Amino acid sequence: MKQYNQIKAKHPQAMLLFRVGDFYETFGEDAVKASKILGIVLTKRKNGSASHIELAGFPHHSLNTYLPKLVRAGERVAICDQLEDPKTTKTIVKRGVTELVTPGVAINDQVLEQKKNNFLCALHFDKKQVGVAFLDISTGEFFVAQGNLEYVHKLVQGFAPSEIIFQKNKNKEFTEAFSSNFYTYKLEDWVFTEDFALDTLTKQFNTQGLKGFGIDNLTQGIIAGGAALQYLSVTENTKLEHISNISRIEEEKYVWLDRFTVRNLELIHSHNENATTLIDIIDDTLTPMGSRLLKRWLVLPLKDEEDINERLNAVESLLLPENNQLRFELGEILNDIGDLERLVSKAAVGKINPKEVIQLKKTLEQIEPIQKILKATNAPDIIKIADRLEACSELIVKVNHQLHPEPAIQIGKGSVIADGFNEELDELRKIAFSGKDYLQQLQEREIEKTGIPSLKVAFNNVFGYYLEVRNTHKDKVPEEWIRKQTLVNAERYITQELKEYESKILGAEDKIQVLESRLYNDLVLSLSKFIRPVQRNAHYIGQIDCLLSFANISEKNNYNKPELNDGFALNIKEGRHPVIEKQLKSGEEYVANDVYLDNDTQQIIMITGPNMSGKSAILRQTALISLMAQIGCFVPAKSAKLGIVDKIFTRVGASDNISSGESTFMVEMNETSSILNNLSPRSLVLLDEIGRGTSTYDGISIAWAIAEYLHENPKAKCKTLFATHYHELNEMYKKFPRIKNFNVSVKEMGTKILFIRKLVEGGSEHSFGIHVAKLAGMPSQVVQRATKMLAHLEQSHGSSDKEKVQEAVNQPDMQLSFFQLDDPVLENIKEELVSIDIDTLTPVEALMKLNEIKKMVGGN
Ligand SMILES: Nc1ncnc2c1ncn2[C@@H]1O[C@H](COP(=O)(O)OP(=O)(O)OP(=O)(O)O)[C@@H](O)[C@H]1O
């Protein structure tokens, strides 16, 4: 308990799983919590002379079952293991924390999601700049960046960390900027200092400074990086050698997607958990490395034409008919390979099991066949990646030489080390596994040597193995034999050889365990020199996997190669929305649309059209096509010629920030002002129903002013799609030559409307909102009243909204009343009312009756 208390004191915030023999035990408050979360029995044991302490535990081999439950329940768990072999230790066995598991710090398969990175994010708030670090201990990836809050927010949205850490005294800054959905942890202020960070990072990477990593001018980022690393280093006895590199997220290389865009375009997440997102459509990757990389590509689209074309050309080559077979073969291999990043990370922290080492080796054995296939494509952009892959043959030879080809999952459960690798081990195995043969041979040899036919080898508990000779042959016993026992008609002897053998066989199994364990640990340690090459391979295999995925989904979904250039025009022919088109019911077909935008003639498209006609779909698909092109994927369009965009901004739909205390309209204005303040002529902007959150004239004025700003301000002169219900905005084109009116066409058929979903030139007359209300099943009184009200408003002559409404409601038929039968005003017409058999009346008769009644009650 003294040892426990010492260790617990170092990890006061964590639940300490304390290894005792075959159990992990928890004590005190930890035990109370653990027994509740895990449903395990809570007992008490004596603690010191007077008190008792609560105790709850589970068998060590159930760790994988219980640990994820604790972490998911929001616990930080410190695993305290025995660091010495209890069998060879005379005093209390040394113990230490070997792993800290929190949502953002886990290496354990049961806690991790295979296809997702598990990033820990550290934030350092400074006055102007925010530093951010993303560190995945399960893959060794480590990135830092810094910028204004907006930028960092966007990165956090895109990287979707499982846990965020920040300074204790920055709680206000954090809660003001970030949603409360993140699992967070606050660290002491001293962790967030530059000196400390530099020291921590240079120690980790074993370097003098950080120059080689290209991050040396990112002070805030470095501080965040140091904090992230410090957070992991609370574990004892584990080197994190796989965290061997740190890189800057080079913001100038990637398209700026503001944080609203990542969410609004539903790239990876959606407001609705079950909704399909873009990643669901374009991720056909076959390896975890590919899947994780694709998510990063998606939130960091490229800006450099050459980089983009490298990917696009690779996808195009994979799609050539002559490469079909190669594509298939590549898929077969990728489908079968292991998670290099996680395997090598486990090796680095010494938590890899023998089966996983074999899996690592088998995966590396596939490098050569992969290279062969890639080279056979004859595509320079693919061959380039093939050349970067490293065969790692030294590792393969090593593992083949040292490890059993089908090893047991852990030491002590069967063979782990290969036959022929270690003489002592071979000898021990021979003894342990072929003991009977050996004794038989020894017996035969001795019979031959001594000529005693009755000689037998046997065993008893008193003096172990012995040779037994019948009295009749006693005289033939060699001198060096030592007599141990005399029976009535036989004598028992031991020999030097037999005793040596005995000591070997009796301890053989124990010794095998110890020796295998030592040899295995040496092997795992020696793998550390391959960490970097394996990580590089993982990255390139991830790249290949993403490109193959792009090729496969492009073929499956009929996507085409976009053409990118450094101009400003966007010219999409027959574009489609990649997600909506996959969700149509059978028989429905997605209506493709052309969209043209540039900075000189058609900069702003004002799209009007009834609700539900497909305005938002056109906005979003335009942005998605641009974005897909810039991550190097083919696009859902017949053709797309696209000037490279540097930023994509969206102001679409209502936000869910209500929990943060802002009104919907406030959120809308916040998002829009952040757009207007960050524009460049290369940006693409989507504005959906700007201003609808306030009164009509307010809304129209704001929307008008924004469109005018985008048109007139040379800095903000960027391609814009503007969807609106305000027909008044259709007047803008007269004054602003680069604003063009379009509408999404519908056909009116009597009282119904038919959605054609074609984007055509020209404004539109009215909004059909009431139709949608009807479609949505509003009570008929509401629909009827709204229809009348609208008709009056449209005819009204009032000069202000207020006057118009006043005029309309003063019309004689403009009251919608609901009567209660006990209303005194109804007393004199009760009889009349009761006599009405509503079911027999036609609607017209019913209306007439109603008017009669209204007159009787004086219009009330
Ligand atoms: N081009 C299309 N082809 C087929 N179906 C489409 C198309 N565009 C949109 N739809 C379908 O119509 C639905 C409504 O589209 P969308 O949300 O774009 O309408 P909207 O005009 O923006 O409506 P609102 O003004 O009410 O927001 C979509 O969810 C989709 O199912």
Side-chain angles (χ1 to χ4, degrees):
M1 286 317 290
K2 197 164 148 195
Q3 189 187 35
Y4 170 83
N5 289 334
Q6 278 167 359
I7 297 174
K8 177 72 189 173
K10 283 197 227 163
H11 304 274
Q13 315 252 23
M15 176 181 286
L16 191 69
L17 301 185
F18 195 70
R19 178 78 180 260
V20 183
D22 283 339
F23 275 70
Y24 280 110
E25 299 289 4
T26 54
F27 297 100
E29 277 177 29
D30 284 356
V32 177
K33 273 195 276 182
S35 83
K36 255 199 208 130
I37 298 169
L38 303 174
I40 54 177
V41 181
L42 182 71
T43 55
K44 278 193 176 173
R45 73 179 248 179
K46 215 163 157 32
N47 183 24
S49 53
S51 60
H52 279 80
I53 188 164
E54 293 85 356
L55 171 82
F58 54 80
H60 74 102
H61 53 76
S62 308
L63 182 65
N64 284 345
T65 319
Y66 288 125
L67 182 60
K69 289 185 186 163
L70 292 172
V71 177
R72 286 192 198 116
E75 290 299 324
R76 306 158 50 73
V77 183
I79 302 172
C80 175
D81 278 314
Q82 296 175 164
L83 303 178
E84 293 171 319
D85 184 355
K87 283 190 190 128
T88 57
T89 316
K90 296 222 169 59
T91 54
I92 279 187
V93 64
K94 199 174 152 207
R95 291 183 172 86
V97 171
T98 54
E99 198 177 341
L100 174 77
V101 190
T102 74
V105 185
I107 205 153
N108 182 300
D109 287 338
Q110 274 66 29
V111 181
L112 295 169
E113 268 184 73
Q114 206 199 11
K115 290 185 143 199
K116 273 194 189 155
N117 267 109
N118 195 52
F119 282 116
L120 166 74
C121 167
L123 291 173
H124 178 242
F125 295 93
D126 197 43
K127 281 187 198 79
K128 282 194 186 126
Q129 298 259 292
V130 183
V132 61
F134 297 100
L135 174 52
D136 185 344
I137 191 180
S138 72
T139 63
E141 290 155 297
F142 196 1
F143 305 99
V144 288
Q146 71 183 47
N148 60 22
L149 188 60
E150 179 66 31
Y151 174 59
V152 170
H153 207 302
K154 162 208 126 131
L155 288 177
V156 170
Q157 187 94 25
F159 276 74
S162 311
E163 179 171 359
I164 299 182
I165 55 173
F166 55 92
Q167 248 169 299
K168 266 197 174 138
N169 67 5
K170 298 288 180 188
N171 200 31
K172 190 165 156 272
E173 282 83 345
F174 180 82
T175 41
E176 271 173 16
F178 292 88
S179 94
S180 53
N181 296 339
F182 288 108
Y183 180 93
T184 57
Y185 194 75
K186 292 166 211 117
L187 297 184
E188 297 298 329
D189 294 350
W190 61 264
V191 178
F192 292 83
T193 53
E194 190 176 358
D195 286 349
F196 177 77
L198 281 174
D199 191 47
T200 312
L201 292 168
T202 47
K203 263 198 203 130
Q204 173 71 23
F205 303 131
N206 213 357
T207 51
Q208 293 290 324
L210 297 172
K211 271 215 159 50
F213 299 98
I215 58 166
D216 43 335
N217 53 354
L218 293 186
T219 310
Q220 310 312 329
I222 288 173
I223 292 175
L229 206 52
Q230 156 68 16
Y231 190 61
L232 304 187
S233 69
V234 291
T235 58
E236 293 141 42
N237 213 35
T238 311
K239 277 201 235 143
L240 303 168
E241 279 189 67
H242 61 305
I243 301 173
S244 55
N245 195 18
I246 183 166
S247 46
R248 182 167 76 93
I249 302 167
E250 300 164 79
E251 64 268 34
E252 63 285 355
K253 238 177 110 173
Y254 304 112
V255 175
W256 170 284
L257 303 175
D258 66 359
R259 62 187 152 122
F260 312 112
T261 299
V262 173
R263 187 193 60 204
N264 288 340
L265 292 179
E266 302 187 314
L267 301 181
I268 294 178
H269 307 285
S270 157
H271 294 305
N272 173 356
E273 250 181 48
N274 301 320
T276 312
T277 59
L278 184 64
I279 194 84
D280 299 325
I281 305 290
I282 64 168
D283 183 3
D284 251 4
T285 52
L286 301 163
T287 68
M289 293 83 84
S291 183
R292 291 193 291 261
L293 185 63
L294 191 60
K295 289 188 184 80
R296 237 167 21 246
W297 278 12
L298 190 55
V299 292
L300 297 172
L302 300 169
K303 274 198 313 205
D304 182 83
E305 195 179 332
E306 215 172 293
D307 291 348
I308 300 169
N309 280 326
E310 221 171 79
R311 289 190 195 164
L312 286 172
N313 292 341
V315 175
E316 186 177 35
S317 315
L318 287 170
L319 282 169
L320 291 175
E322 62 264 35
N323 285 336
N324 272 349
Q325 178 60 22
L326 293 176
R327 190 147 56 94
F328 172 76
E329 287 169 19
L330 186 60
E332 294 271 283
I333 297 184
L334 292 183
N335 214 0
D336 244 22
I337 65 177
D339 189 340
L340 282 180
E341 284 170 329
R342 293 233 163 117
L343 289 171
V344 82
S345 300
K346 283 188 188 172
V349 299
K351 289 203 175 346
I352 190 166
N353 71 43
K355 276 204 177 329
E356 291 169 330
V357 175
I358 291 292
Q359 203 192 6
L360 174 67
K361 180 212 74 165
K362 283 191 171 159
T363 300
L364 292 169
E365 280 172 341
Q366 295 305 321
I367 297 279
E368 271 187 55
I370 290 174
Q371 277 176 316
K372 223 164 133 194
I373 293 175
L374 297 181
K375 289 190 174 168
T377 58
N378 278 328
D381 293 306
I382 293 179
I383 294 175
K384 211 161 151 187
I385 304 176
D387 288 336
R388 289 177 185 153
L389 288 168
E390 296 163 66
C392 292
S393 37
E394 200 189 323
L395 183 149
I396 295 170
V397 170
K398 198 182 212 27
V399 173
N400 279 340
H401 182 52
Q402 300 191 17
L403 216 56
H404 196 284
E406 283 179 21
I409 193 152
Q410 73 191 67
I411 308 280
K413 301 247 163 183
S415 292
V416 164
I417 300 295
D419 288 333
F421 172 64
N422 179 289
E423 262 181 48
E424 192 188 346
L425 182 65
D426 288 347
E427 189 67 19
L428 285 167
R429 277 190 186 146
K430 232 189 263 163
I431 295 163
F433 302 132
S434 54
K436 281 208 175 106
D437 286 356
Y438 184 88
L439 292 171
Q440 186 64 34
Q441 280 167 19
L442 184 135
Q443 183 174 307
E444 280 164 20
R445 215 172 346 112
E446 291 299 337
I447 290 173
E448 204 174 307
K449 222 159 71 184
T450 56
I452 305 173
S454 63
L455 186 144
K456 263 195 329 205
V457 178
F459 179 85
N460 74 18
N461 284 332
V462 185
F463 48 86
Y465 286 100
Y466 57 85
L467 297 165
E468 190 174 292
V469 178
R470 293 196 155 263
N471 284 346
T472 43
H473 299 117
K474 239 165 45 180
D475 53 330
K476 291 188 179 168
V477 168
E479 259 179 35
E480 65 273 20
W481 289 17
I482 303 154
R483 193 161 56 81
K484 274 302 215 189
Q485 196 178 18
T486 303
L487 306 176
V488 184
N489 43 22
E491 302 262 77
R492 287 176 176 171
Y493 303 88
I494 54 168
T495 69
Q496 185 68 19
E497 185 187 356
L498 203 54
K499 282 299 116 183
E500 275 172 18
Y501 174 75
E502 182 186 285
S503 70
K504 268 187 188 170
I505 197 169
L506 290 182
E509 292 206 354
D510 278 352
K511 283 187 185 154
I512 286 174
Q513 264 206 39
V514 174
L515 187 54
E516 279 212 302
S517 170
R518 201 190 77 217
L519 294 170
Y520 180 70
N521 289 342
D522 287 351
L523 171 68
V524 172
L525 265 182
S526 73
L527 295 182
S528 69
K529 83 179 222 216
F530 303 99
I531 289 174
R532 280 303 287 151
V534 172
Q535 285 176 332
R536 285 193 291 266
N537 277 337
H539 180 70
Y540 296 123
I541 288 182
Q543 279 191 0
I544 291 289
D545 195 13
C546 288
L547 295 169
L548 182 68
S549 171
F550 286 169
N552 289 338
I553 56 129
S554 296
E555 184 178 64
K556 193 165 76 185
N557 300 334
N558 193 19
Y559 294 169
N560 288 302
K561 187 182 180 192
E563 240 183 86
L564 287 128
N565 53 58
D566 61 359
F568 290 85
L570 173 150
N571 190 359
I572 296 170
K573 296 278 183 222
E574 296 184 24
R576 307 173 327 256
H577 190 297
V579 180
I580 298 181
E581 73 166 346
K582 301 288 276 182
Q583 293 174 323
L584 295 176
K585 296 190 197 91
S586 77
E588 287 178 345
E589 205 169 310
Y590 194 84
V591 181
N593 272 304
D594 299 347
V595 173
Y596 179 86
L597 284 167
D598 65 21
N599 290 27
D600 305 317
T601 58
Q602 188 158 299
Q603 182 210 335
I604 300 172
I605 295 186
M606 200 62 77
I607 304 178
T608 46
N611 298 90
M612 284 287 291
S613 58
K615 300 184 296 298
S616 306
I618 289 174
L619 259 58
R620 286 166 202 248
Q621 81 191 34
T622 308
L624 290 176
I625 287 171
S626 252
L627 184 139
M628 285 168 76
Q630 289 188 225
I631 63 171
C633 183
F634 283 15
V635 297
K638 189 163 177 218
S639 75
K641 288 188 186 141
L642 307 166
I644 290 173
V645 302
D646 64 348
K647 302 174 189 184
I648 298 178
F649 293 104
T650 57
R651 177 40 240 171
V652 179
S655 283
D656 56 352
N657 267 26
I658 299 186
S659 57
S660 74
E662 288 174 337
S663 74
T664 311
F665 184 65
M666 186 64 193
V667 172
E668 181 183 334
M669 290 300 104
N670 268 339
E671 296 188 9
T672 314
S673 62
S674 127
I675 296 174
L676 298 184
N677 292 325
N678 285 294
L679 290 171
S680 96
R682 282 214 169 275
S683 309
L684 175 63
V685 180
L686 312 182
L687 300 173
D688 198 354
E689 294 181 29
I690 284 292
R692 71 154 170 203
T694 183
S695 73
T696 313
Y697 280 161
D698 250 11
I700 292 174
S701 316
I702 291 171
W704 182 294
I706 289 170
E708 187 172 331
Y709 179 89
L710 291 169
H711 189 274
E712 296 297 286
N713 183 342
K715 275 200 198 146
K717 192 175 137 190
C718 56
K719 297 179 282 288
T720 306
L721 289 172
F722 206 121
T724 183
H725 285 129
Y726 299 135
H727 308 113
E728 292 79 353
L729 298 184
N730 278 153
E731 298 301 306
M732 291 192 80
Y733 81 101
K734 293 178 185 156
K735 208 166 163 215
F736 304 103
R738 293 188 308 280
I739 296 185
K740 301 283 144 103
N741 290 339
F742 278 77
N743 72 86
V744 190
S745 58
V746 287
K747 238 189 196 151
E748 287 182 71
M749 296 172 51
T751 56
K752 288 193 175 150
I753 52 171
L754 187 66
F755 295 115
I756 317 249
R757 308 202 190 286
K758 260 294 174 211
L759 185 66
V760 291
E761 247 178 291
S764 53
E765 298 297 306
H766 45 234
S767 65
F768 303 88
I770 295 172
H771 275 288
V772 176
K774 196 170 162 191
L775 282 180
M778 284 274 181
S780 60
Q781 294 103 315
V782 174
V783 175
Q784 282 170 16
R785 181 58 67 222
T787 311
K788 273 197 182 153
M789 182 87 177
L790 179 66
H792 284 300
L793 278 173
E794 281 177 350
Q795 290 157 12
S796 163
H797 302 293
S799 56
S800 70
D801 264 5
K802 215 168 159 186
E803 276 178 34
K804 282 186 181 175
V805 174
Q806 204 58 223
E807 212 173 282
V809 295
N810 285 337
Q811 299 298 314
D813 60 344
M814 256 311 171
Q815 257 110 31
L816 181 61
S817 310
F818 297 89
F819 296 100
Q820 301 290 326
L821 272 177
D822 58 357
D823 196 324
V825 98
L826 297 182
E827 202 46 52
N828 51 353
I829 57 158
K830 227 175 198 172
E831 239 166 75
E832 183 75 15
L833 279 177
V834 175
S835 72
I836 300 171
D837 180 0
I838 209 94
D839 292 334
T840 63
L841 297 180
T842 66
V844 178
E845 286 167 341
L847 267 178
M848 284 163 59
K849 200 91 200 159
L850 199 65
N851 276 333
E852 255 172 58
I853 294 168
K854 264 191 194 168
K855 274 184 206 141
M856 292 167 73
V857 294
N860 269 325

